[in-house]
Amino acid sequence: MFSKILIANRGEIAVRIIRACKEMGITTVAVYSVADNEALHVSLADESVCIGGAPVGESYLNMQAILSAALLTGCEAIHPGYGLLSENAKFAGLCAENGLVFIGPSAEVIEKMGNKDAAKRLMRSLGVPVVPGSEGIVATLEEAQENAKRIGYPLLIKASAGGGGRGIRKVSGPEELEQAFLGASLEAQKAFGDGSVYMEKFFSPVRHVEMQLMCDAYGNVVCLGERECSIQRKNQKLLEESPSPAVDDACRDEMTRIATLAAKGVNYVSLGTIEFLLTTEGDFYFMEMNTRLQVEHPVTEMVTGIDLVKWQIRIAAGIPLDFSQQDIQISGHAIECRINAEDPANHFMPSCGKISLLHIPGGPWVRFDTALYQGYTIPPFYDSMIGKLIVHARTREEAIRKMQAALCELVIGGIEQNRELQIEILSDPQFRRGEYATDYLTHQSFGGLLNDGIE
Ligand code: ADP
Ligand code: ADP
Ligand code: MG
């Protein structure tokens, strides 16, 4: 096992990883930007290194600074968390070149799956059903028009290098195609440094259901059940649950079979997630693979009793899984609510400032993953997700009630946040029946709590 790990991230996920390391007896090194002097992950780690300026390009995406920090402090491995460098093949390769273990899959596998259209082609060749759309990249307007004829409207234009809900454009009819195609390519070039786009049939209503994978270096592949992630705003997840109210045992078995096929087909090693679109008819299609730890991993931990972060570290250290697919029992129901510093009534505008008051709910099977503390000032430079409230109960109904009680108890003073919106969702009869799809929030106003600007 490693004796010292550098955590190349910030916020709640850095704290989560530091906790796992402490329990495993691993010394931790935090890195931070000049804006994160007072951040919790810095004080919780055994050592810390300032790696640069506030913008992520100068610090959390500064590969040379992070690698130097790891080498100078004598680390053997780097955990990238999610976002930032977690799906950066170049960084994973540089770690290897410098004798550092990247806690995640190999640079080759990240590269293969990171390009979303190429990943779809690869999956299709393995026999995985994929979201219908263009055969790879669409390079010209003529190609876009030909594809549109075949796919039909509405359709989506997606950036091959996209992520985090960005780089996706809906096209309702032929009159919108030219502008959308050119705009999407330009935007993708600006945002991701790669203007390649591809096209997909737009499903609606549809659910986002994903399968958690855990694969060791010896060919053992285990699926840890699905997560329902259809409650979204701007194509980004807001509330997740496991199991999915839309997945029965037969569907879960089939998803497990397909996800296992996909993982084995690319010799996947580490944690990973296969994202599917699940239609109302019960068919599901591969959308993309996330080759990293996922924000919503705690709901899977709750229903399986398995610590995903610890296993991700063990796998990177070459330790084989000590359980197999038959050992996995999905027990009860878990829900996660993302707490974002943003204003739902004002187009989810990010909010920052000083946390004047903080009360974190407690009680049995209530977990709050956060890097907040009272008196902390949220800097304006980073992601708006400031915490995740997770609950576990025997049934979905009990879990909803537990989450409502916990949300009512949660107090975060001094900033705008989305607690009220989460409470509204949990009280909504349609949500309680489990009858919702990715367009759920576009049909809600919750008595004016949501403005009309939601896409
Ligand atoms: P998950 O399914 O784990 O929520 P996301 O795609 O939402 O995956 O990404 C996880 C986190 O990574 C997000 O909360 C966001 O902070 C960050 N992230 C991912 N991709 C990007 C990106 N292209 N630009 C900025 N942040 C991103
Ligand atoms: P990202 O890489 O940003 O996570 P995804 O390709 O995973 O992008 O898509 C993000 C979200 O956009 C999905 O969870 C879903 O809500 C929506 N979406 C993506 N593709 C489709 C599609 N073909 N039809 C309908 N909705 C889609
Ligand atoms: Mg996705």
Side-chain angles (χ1 to χ4, degrees):
M1 182 41 66
F2 308 118
S3 56
K4 198 171 187 181
I5 290 178
L6 180 138
I7 294 117
N9 216 300
R10 64 181 302 284
E12 67 87 18
I13 199 62
V15 170
R16 166 74 185 88
I17 297 161
I18 291 168
R19 285 182 179 139
C21 290
K22 287 199 174 177
E23 289 177 34
M24 296 170 89
I26 300 169
T27 305
T28 52
V29 178
V31 292
Y32 64 101
S33 74
V34 294
D36 273 343
N37 240 331
E38 309 288 321
L40 189 65
H41 74 283
V42 178
S43 50
L44 286 186
D46 298 300
E47 293 170 38
S48 60
V49 181
C50 183
I51 48 167
V56 287
E58 295 173 23
S59 48
Y60 298 104
L61 292 178
N62 184 342
M63 300 187 213
Q64 293 308 331
I66 293 170
L67 290 167
S68 304
L71 293 171
L72 287 171
T73 53
C75 288
E76 299 140 65
I78 297 185
H79 196 308
Y82 54 68
L84 299 172
L85 294 171
S86 62
E87 294 181 284
N88 189 308
K90 184 176 169 202
F91 183 66
L94 282 172
C95 285
E97 276 172 35
N98 285 281
L100 293 159
V101 176
F102 176 81
I103 300 177
S106 68
E108 294 72 47
V109 170
I110 298 176
E111 179 89 57
K112 262 190 203 162
M113 305 311 287
N115 194 309
K116 292 167 77 177
D117 73 279
K120 278 179 69 180
R121 255 181 301 158
L122 174 60
M123 285 298 133
R124 209 163 72 163
S125 74
L126 294 171
V128 172
V130 304
V131 177
S134 61
E135 189 72 39
I137 285 169
V138 178
T140 64
L141 180 59
E142 290 66 46
E143 275 178 51
Q145 284 159 341
E146 277 162 35
N147 273 294
K149 269 195 209 124
R150 196 171 45 79
I151 299 167
Y153 293 96
L155 55 82
L156 291 181
I157 300 181
K158 287 182 163 183
S160 305
R166 301 189 311 143
I168 301 177
R169 276 220 193 177
K170 188 177 158 193
V171 188
S172 305
E175 66 287 354
E176 292 176 20
L177 186 64
E178 180 169 359
Q179 207 192 352
F181 174 72
L182 299 174
S185 314
L186 211 67
E187 246 174 51
Q189 181 64 42
K190 254 200 217 157
F192 312 110
D194 173 1
S196 318
V197 296
Y198 63 107
M199 289 162 75
E200 268 182 7
K201 175 180 161 69
F202 177 73
F203 284 100
S204 189
V206 75
R207 288 182 178 251
H208 173 127
V209 177
E210 58 186 32
M211 182 55 75
Q212 177 69 54
L213 281 164
M214 191 183 273
C215 315
D216 68 15
Y218 310 95
N220 299 305
V221 173
V222 175
C223 289
L224 298 173
E226 81 282 3
R227 290 184 291 255
E228 166 68 65
C229 308
S230 298
I231 303 286
Q232 303 183 348
R233 57 116 179 71
K234 301 178 178 173
N235 296 322
Q236 287 176 332
K237 301 157 186 169
L238 212 52
L239 179 156
E240 299 96 343
E241 49 183 325
S242 182
S244 164
V247 170
D248 59 16
D249 288 346
C251 179
R252 180 171 308 112
D253 287 349
E254 183 59 6
M255 237 177 229
T256 300
R257 187 183 75 78
I258 293 289
T260 305
L261 182 79
K264 291 201 164 159
V266 294
N267 294 319
Y268 196 81
V269 177
S270 189
L271 288 187
T273 296
I274 309 255
E275 296 189 334
F276 295 108
L277 287 179
L278 173 66
T279 68
T280 31
E281 288 79 41
D283 300 318
F284 60 85
Y285 303 96
F286 173 90
M287 186 163 49
E288 66 160 342
M289 179 169 194
N290 292 329
T291 54
R292 55 169 164 86
L293 179 65
Q294 206 96 357
V295 172
E296 57 276 20
H297 74 276
V299 291
T300 301
E301 297 187 318
M302 292 297 215
V303 295
T304 59
I306 294 170
D307 186 316
L308 295 193
V309 178
K310 281 192 198 165
W311 270 106
Q312 188 185 24
I313 296 170
R314 288 189 193 113
I315 290 169
I319 295 172
L321 297 183
D322 68 1
F323 50 85
S324 62
Q325 191 67 56
Q326 295 85 276
D327 301 318
I328 303 303
Q329 293 269 341
I330 306 295
S331 143
H333 197 94
I335 304 178
E336 168 179 283
C337 285
R338 298 192 188 196
I339 305 301
N340 296 333
E342 64 187 15
D343 185 4
N346 187 16
H347 304 270
F348 296 94
M349 175 90 82
S351 167
C352 52
K354 188 169 176 174
I355 304 297
S356 55
L357 196 61
L358 180 68
H359 172 75
I360 293 174
W365 301 292
V366 175
R367 163 176 170 186
F368 192 56
D369 279 19
T370 190
L372 293 184
Y373 57 86
Q374 197 159 316
Y376 172 66
T377 298
I378 299 174
F381 308 102
Y382 311 110
D383 199 74
S384 62
M385 200 191 68
I386 50 170
K388 305 179 319 204
L389 186 55
I390 307 112
V391 301
H392 186 217
R394 284 180 309 170
T395 64
R396 183 168 187 266
E397 183 57 32
E398 258 186 86
I400 290 174
R401 285 171 180 274
K402 192 182 275 293
M403 182 59 91
Q404 284 178 307
L407 280 168
C408 288
E409 205 185 307
L410 175 69
V411 179
I412 304 174
I415 52 154
E416 296 291 344
Q417 32 95 10
N418 64 345
R419 184 188 78 119
E420 300 296 329
L421 173 61
Q422 296 283 20
I423 292 173
E424 290 287 348
I425 295 169
L426 290 156
S427 320
D428 176 38
Q430 194 193 333
F431 174 81
R432 294 184 90 111
R433 289 195 301 273
E435 293 165 4
Y436 62 85
T438 54
D439 61 350
Y440 171 80
L441 279 184
T442 62
H443 301 307
Q444 310 288 338
S445 77
F446 296 131
L449 177 64
L450 279 181
N451 60 1
D452 55 5
I454 182 159
E455 284 278 308

